[in-house]
Amino acid sequence: VNHRDQISGLGQHIDIALLDAQIASLAHIASNYLVSGRLPQRTGTASEITCPYQAFDCSDGELMVAVGNDAQFVAFCTVLSLPALPTDPRFATNPERALHRTVLVPLIAERMKAATVAQWSAQFTTVGVPCGPINTLAQTFAEPQVIERDVVRTVEVESQRKQPSYVAMLADARESSERFAAEESIDVSFDRIWSIEPILFHPELIELCDETI
């Protein structure tokens, strides 16, 4: 759209495959393999090249911590009341921390169990250490941002029983699809499409979405 409006006045063809996007999401893990030819090891939530950068058990759940540089590590250890760690030569820099992760991680893991996810999260955020809880679905749908974004809605179905919709975008999909079809003079029976489950995989709707894109 920017190319059309700002440069040529013509539309552009965009070729994006889900496979391409999935491979791109591998980011540095794929880059490391392409450069070295070494297959990555399974490390769970942990990063192979940055430490500590993984999920830790707290007293009431798990917290993902992403200590990205040496200054953040100092702040992180200050919050944990482990001030000696940043001055230890084994942990002074990220390459050294990654090399000695089998020693460092257990020290941190034991300390993290002393407080709740919310308590650690608040303290780390205050000092600029990126972190985030690993939520259950119940916690996810109770998140203020999820509620504010109106992600889940209640809709009427044929049985007249109210139930949550898939996601907010599906609640708006019919309106936008009908508007596009009208503008492009596409003859589509939306009543038939939206009465069939699962609506995401109905071929007539998929064809319309393809034309829209």
Side-chain angles (χ1 to χ4, degrees), residues 172-191 193-194 204-205 207-213:
D172 297 330
R174 174 167 181 165
E175 180 183 349
S176 60
S177 299
E178 288 178 330
R179 183 171 59 253
F180 174 80
E183 292 172 353
E184 301 296 326
S185 300
I186 299 174
D187 184 17
V188 179
S189 174
F190 286 95
D191 287 335
I193 290 174
W194 292 93
E204 194 169 351
L205 182 59
E207 181 179 354
L208 175 62
C209 292
D210 287 341
E211 294 182 24
T212 303
I213 295 171

Side-chain angles (χ1 to χ4, degrees), residues 35-185:
V35 170
S36 68
R38 183 178 64 86
L39 292 172
Q41 301 299 307
R42 294 185 177 183
T43 58
T45 61
S47 166
E48 278 195 311
I49 62 175
T50 307
C51 184
Y53 196 115
Q54 65 183 77
F56 288 97
D57 288 330
C58 303
S59 64
D60 65 343
E62 292 180 283
L63 183 69
M64 183 71 191
V65 175
V67 178
N69 55 52
D70 298 338
Q72 288 180 352
F73 183 65
V74 173
F76 178 67
C77 291
T78 299
V79 170
L80 292 176
S81 298
L82 296 172
L85 293 185
T87 60
D88 188 316
R90 297 172 298 174
F91 313 136
T93 64
N94 181 65
E96 289 298 320
R97 290 193 293 275
L99 182 64
H100 297 95
R101 69 172 64 245
T102 56
V103 178
L104 176 61
V105 169
L107 297 174
I108 296 171
E110 184 62 30
R111 186 73 183 93
M112 290 287 291
K113 296 176 183 177
T116 66
V117 168
Q119 289 170 334
W120 286 131
S121 182
Q123 293 182 70
F124 293 147
T125 299
T126 298
V127 298
V129 175
C131 63
I134 297 180
N135 290 327
T136 64
L137 285 179
Q139 292 168 329
T140 297
F141 290 122
E143 277 286 324
Q145 181 69 0
V146 174
I147 296 172
E148 177 65 25
R149 294 291 299 165
D150 202 15
V151 172
V152 179
R153 302 181 185 180
T154 298
V155 297
E156 295 284 354
V157 295
E158 290 183 2
S159 64
Q160 302 302 310
R161 177 174 58 84
K162 292 184 177 181
Q163 66 180 31
S165 62
Y166 291 104
V167 287
M169 65 178 182
L170 293 184
D172 297 330
R174 174 167 181 165
E175 180 183 349
S176 60
S177 299
E178 288 178 330
R179 183 171 59 253
F180 174 80
E183 292 172 353
E184 301 296 326
S185 300

